[in-house]
Amino acid sequence: MPNPTACLLIIGNEVLSGRTQDANLKFIATRLGEIGIPLREVRVIPDVRDTIIETVNAVRARFDYVFTTGGIGPTHDDITAECIAAAFGLPWEPHPEAWALLEASYARRDPPAEFNAARQRMATMPRGATLIDNPVSVAPGFIIGNVHVMAGVPRIMQAMFEGLVPKLAGGTPVQSLAVHAHGLMEGQLAEGLAAIQARHPEVDIGSYPYYRPEGNGVALVAKGTERAALEAVAAAMAELIASLGFTPVQGEPG
Amino acid sequence: MPNPTACLLIIGNEVLSGRTQDANLKFIATRLGEIGIPLREVRVIPDVRDTIIETVNAVRARFDYVFTTGGIGPTHDDITAECIAAAFGLPWEPHPEAWALLEASYARRDPPAEFNAARQRMATMPRGATLIDNPVSVAPGFIIGNVHVMAGVPRIMQAMFEGLVPKLAGGTPVQSLAVHAHGLMEGQLAEGLAAIQARHPEVDIGSYPYYRPEGNGVALVAKGTERAALEAVAAAMAELIASLGFTPVQGEPG
């Protein structure tokens, strides 16, 4: 059975304007590969109602899993939850469990903080949403249909994601094996590498040149779900490098 | 006249798998804002022919400018140029100028390197493409229609982009003013901030909590093309922070 597929939506003007370096894509991509739900597409979109609704509906129909980051705080630009409710054609309304969690959390503070209208927005969700636990700062994410809505702050997103993992029906983990060679150029090995790829269509072979003060080179990376095929490809890549007069080194360049 | 809009396509399995941390989005987003071509969407897609063709055609119809990074090297997974030719319904054929540049470059090396079939792929482009200069490693990017095709290696991409800037018809630069306050929480200022946003629809106001060892706080950022409006918003944001008993500090938190 093929692995389920995933799409990530990064929602937020701050990434599109260049203010903020996204730190969520790499984490989510890596973790999803480990649980056999490879990430197939990422879209970064602004805090614009129509764009969020249209994009959510486009991707939830195409991928098994959709993950979103950003836009679930208390301020005017946090419109992810209401847009996702609109995308699903569901009411956006107080979620009893989230409401109780947040109300109690603000009451517990010293001094107690007001559970005001802005904070109540964080407990307002599409009807029928299942909560995603937030062990860092209480305000939960949620799941509706195949869409998993998480915070944009990396520390909070990561905690939410790890709580979510046991609930995801993953597939066969994606593994990788790398071989690299200092001094080698892509143009020298491209033909041989294409031949290896043609013999192993079940493995995804990538070639990545690197440019470093201590010297340039190429890293070859084989990714796939079948260990034996990865090992065969890694051996063939090492042999190709050696046949060109360079020294193959296991793993990515350090 | 409204500013032209841009979309960025990051093409490459290595970003989607989590192997590589993208370093191009932030650079391109920042530079495009400075020249008044705000980035409105980013998509990260794999080295898959049908996906590249479909995505290029979707976004080139919706945005004034499309930029792509990745997939223009000599190896089997470098399929961006041929897919973009297919998206435009154009032949993918040797580009005389690119061919001459690359042929001469390999002949000049000491010892001379072979301008082999793999390297010839880097001089094969959609018919009618205009070259984008590559002062780092010779192999050029290209422009076809409103699509600007650049390398994925950040150093090469940045050099290509800077050479491209004088050819882009930009708009009014996007400027920003930030005010931040240590100790403040978003839930305290959300209502007042929404009121400022409502009074200044021409300014894009963002609220970004930060969590640091030395203490938490909130950064408020106003972005837009009208300096006077930004200054009015920044003053109102500082006043709001002070009214809540906190000290407004100009700029982003250091």
Side-chain angles (χ1 to χ4, degrees):
Chain A
M1 214 176 65
N3 273 342
T5 59
C7 177
L8 170 64
L9 298 184
I10 297 172
I11 302 173
N13 294 344
E14 70 278 19
V15 178
L16 283 175
S17 72
R19 174 190 181 269
T20 303
Q21 165 73 50
D22 167 71
N24 292 333
L25 196 174
K26 189 172 194 286
F27 175 87
I28 293 173
T30 304
R31 291 290 289 125
L32 284 175
E34 289 168 355
I35 60 174
I37 307 178
L39 188 60
R40 292 288 187 224
E41 184 167 330
V42 179
R43 299 194 192 184
V44 187
I45 57 173
D47 305 310
V48 171
R49 183 177 167 90
D50 291 348
T51 304
I52 297 173
I53 294 172
E54 186 195 324
T55 306
V56 165
N57 280 335
V59 301
R60 73 186 176 97
R62 291 179 75 149
F63 298 94
D64 297 309
Y65 288 97
V66 175
F67 299 89
T68 79
T69 63
I72 61 168
T75 59
H76 65 280
D77 54 341
D78 289 306
I79 60 173
T80 297
E82 61 195 278
C83 293
I84 287 178
F88 278 85
L90 289 168
W92 179 57
E93 63 184 22
H95 187 289
E97 196 184 339
W99 195 278
L101 271 173
L102 281 166
E103 192 167 39
S105 161
Y106 288 109
R108 260 198 317 272
R109 301 201 186 178
D110 186 20
E114 192 195 354
F115 186 44
N116 60 22
R119 288 164 171 157
Q120 289 168 10
R121 282 171 54 85
M122 296 192 288
T124 311
M125 297 181 175
R127 181 180 293 173
T130 303
L131 299 189
I132 299 176
D133 188 37
N134 173 353
V136 175
S137 59
V138 183
F142 65 86
I143 307 169
I144 187 81
N146 60 344
V147 180
H148 300 70
V149 178
M150 302 186 290
V153 175
R155 196 162 54 98
I156 302 174
M157 184 281 295
Q158 291 175 19
M160 286 182 169
F161 186 88
E162 294 305 341
L164 204 50
V165 165
K167 297 179 188 168
L168 305 175
T172 312
V174 180
Q175 301 179 55
S176 74
L177 282 176
V179 184
H180 70 278
H182 296 307
L184 187 59
M185 293 174 63
E186 281 194 304
Q188 298 170 272
L189 57 71
E191 192 186 336
L193 198 64
I196 299 173
Q197 177 71 83
R199 284 203 306 275
H200 295 277
E202 76 285 13
V203 174
D204 170 28
I205 302 178
S207 165
Y208 308 111
Y210 57 85
Y211 304 88
R212 303 200 173 173
E214 66 273 23
N216 301 338
V218 179
L220 303 179
V221 181
K223 283 193 176 276
T225 53
E226 296 172 37
R227 187 74 196 180
L230 292 183
E231 285 171 0
V233 167
M237 297 190 308
E239 202 177 307
L240 171 63
I241 290 169
S243 76
L244 295 164
F246 292 82
T247 306
V249 182
Q250 302 300 315
E252 296 266 4
Chain B
M1 212 177 65
N3 274 342
T5 58
C7 177
L8 169 64
L9 299 185
I10 297 171
I11 302 172
N13 294 345
E14 69 278 19
V15 178
L16 284 175
S17 72
R19 175 190 180 268
T20 303
Q21 165 73 51
D22 168 72
N24 292 333
L25 197 174
K26 189 172 195 283
F27 174 88
I28 292 172
T30 303
R31 292 291 290 122
L32 284 174
E34 289 167 358
I35 61 175
I37 308 177
L39 187 60
R40 293 287 186 227
E41 185 168 329
V42 179
R43 298 194 193 185
V44 187
I45 58 174
D47 304 311
V48 171
R49 182 178 168 89
D50 291 348
T51 304
I52 297 173
I53 294 172
E54 185 196 324
T55 306
V56 166
N57 280 335
V59 301
R60 73 186 177 96
R62 293 179 73 151
F63 299 94
D64 297 310
Y65 288 97
V66 175
F67 299 88
T68 77
T69 62
I72 61 167
T75 58
H76 66 279
D77 54 340
D78 289 306
I79 60 172
T80 296
E82 61 194 277
C83 293
I84 287 178
F88 279 84
L90 288 168
W92 179 58
E93 63 184 22
H95 187 289
E97 197 185 338
W99 195 279
L101 271 173
L102 280 167
E103 193 166 37
S105 161
Y106 287 110
R108 261 197 318 271
R109 300 199 187 180
D110 186 19
E114 192 196 353
F115 185 43
N116 60 22
R119 288 164 172 155
Q120 289 169 8
R121 281 171 55 86
M122 297 192 287
T124 312
M125 297 181 176
R127 181 180 292 173
T130 303
L131 298 189
I132 300 176
D133 188 37
N134 173 355
V136 176
S137 58
V138 185
F142 64 86
I143 308 170
I144 187 82
N146 62 343
V147 180
H148 301 68
V149 177
M150 301 186 292
V153 175
R155 197 161 55 98
I156 302 174
M157 184 281 296
Q158 291 175 19
M160 285 182 170
F161 187 89
E162 294 306 342
L164 205 49
V165 165
K167 299 180 188 168
L168 304 176
T172 313
V174 179
Q175 301 178 55
S176 73
L177 283 176
V179 184
H180 70 277
H182 295 307
L184 187 60
M185 292 173 64
E186 282 194 304
Q188 297 169 274
L189 57 71
E191 192 185 336
L193 198 65
I196 299 172
Q197 178 69 83
R199 284 202 307 277
H200 295 278
E202 77 283 14
V203 174
D204 169 28
I205 302 178
S207 166
Y208 307 111
Y210 57 85
Y211 303 89
R212 303 199 174 173
E214 64 274 24
N216 302 338
V218 178
L220 303 178
V221 181
K223 284 196 175 271
T225 54
E226 298 172 36
R227 186 76 195 178
L230 291 183
E231 285 172 358
V233 166
M237 295 191 307
E239 203 176 307
L240 171 64
I241 290 169
S243 77
L244 294 166
F246 292 82
T247 305
V249 182
Q250 302 298 316
E252 295 266 5

